[in-house]
Amino acid sequence: MDNINIITKYFENLSELQLQQFAMMSSLYNEWNSKINVISRKDIDFLYEHHVLHSLGIAKVIRFNAGTRIMDLGTGGGFPGIPLAVLFPDVQFHLIDSIGKKVHVATEIAHAIGLKNVSFAHERAQDEHQKFDFVVSRAVMPLSELLKIVRKNISPTQHNALPNGLICLKGGELGKEISAFGKISTVWNLNEFFQEEYFQTKKIVYTIIH
């Protein structure tokens, strides 16, 4: 059964507030999804594994330092931004999507669980001009297109162990897609961190942006 235990299995040192925030997501996403479809009907039953834990995979390759600023491009219903904002309460997240009703759902859920470190915008990424340390995204478009769009948004000031750049959650065979980026891209297989079969083909692609 998909529940919060799959989160605590891999993230053991959560505060009571964080546990409460993660626990609230199930009823909130189910309720909102019945009105506005932000997660596919068959996938909502696997909310914690396919969406929350998948989003938190990013935290297995980088622990963001306090004060870091992150943009979640194409957030949809709030992934990976909302789970990451719960895990990193001292990091600022700006979640954007071009579909207004999805931004509405993500905003309502973030408010309902009491997140204070998130902001939202209904816009295309091309129209966002703020500077961030990282841009995160869940497979919204090919890497080459994403890099063209977000290059303008990456701050030159460094705050973290990894240089500023783009962190994407992707699936499948990525060899051709990332071959053009050589040494500036790093790929991690999520099955190195999570045992569930769902993660066998899931990857994190990190690309440095100077």
Side-chain angles (χ1 to χ4, degrees), residues 56-68:
L56 295 177
I58 289 172
K60 290 296 186 182
V61 301
I62 180 171
R63 303 290 299 182
F64 298 114
N65 291 330
T68 299

Side-chain angles (χ1 to χ4, degrees), residues 96-136:
I96 72 168
D97 202 283
S98 61
I99 300 174
K101 64 184 180 180
K102 292 186 175 182
V103 175
H104 176 66
V105 171
T107 304
E108 291 294 325
I109 288 173
H111 288 166
I113 66 175
L115 285 179
K116 303 283 196 291
N117 57 331
V118 291
S119 57
F120 296 87
H122 170 209
E123 65 183 2
R124 295 164 69 242
Q126 290 88 336
D127 300 322
E128 177 59 72
H129 294 283
Q130 294 184 72
K131 297 288 187 185
F132 302 90
D133 300 298
F134 293 93
V135 173
V136 296

